[in-house]
Amino acid sequence: MVLGNLANDTLENIWNNSEKIRWLRGLKMKDLGNGECCKCDKAAFCAPCMVRNANESPTGDPLEINRHFCAVAAKNKQIVLDWRNAHFKEV
């Protein structure tokens, strides 16, 4: 994704004012996969980087869900649940 041209502009200006960067920064979980992430039982354990997600899309679609983040969220959830079960057996 081309964000600007350093031959014509400063990195600072591109970083702070690029329309594409502002759009990427404005993305929310509800925007990914047509809202699929909001319905996921692992959503509380997921924190995808929207820019990284955009860069890693094999189709070039920044709103396509990168399943790597789903796998990480599943692992995070399991770690938290295992810890809770080990420390709060009486609850």
Side-chain angles (χ1 to χ4, degrees):
M1 178 179 287
V2 177
L3 304 173
N5 184 336
L6 290 175
N8 303 327
D9 207 346
T10 66
L11 180 58
E12 179 181 17
N13 191 50
I14 294 169
W15 184 254
N16 292 324
N17 300 308
S18 165
E19 273 188 51
K20 289 181 182 177
I21 286 189
R22 282 188 279 159
W23 178 74
L24 286 169
R25 286 181 182 142
L27 292 175
K28 306 289 184 224
M29 289 281 281
K30 66 182 173 113
D31 300 320
L32 280 173
N34 293 318
E36 180 183 335
C37 292
C38 292
K39 301 172 198 152
C40 180
D41 68 324
K42 297 174 286 300
F45 304 90
C46 188
C49 170
M50 296 305 195
V51 174
R52 184 171 160 207
N53 190 67
N55 285 338
E56 293 181 2
S57 171
T59 64
D61 180 0
L63 300 180
E64 178 182 2
I65 297 170
N66 183 319
R67 297 298 171 187
H68 166 75
F69 293 117
C70 301
V72 171
K75 187 57 112 172
N76 287 340
K77 180 178 179 180
Q78 191 59 55
I79 289 168
V80 169
L81 294 178
D82 289 348
W83 184 88
R84 284 178 65 191
N85 287 337
H87 290 85
F88 297 106
K89 292 179 182 178
E90 300 166 7
V91 174

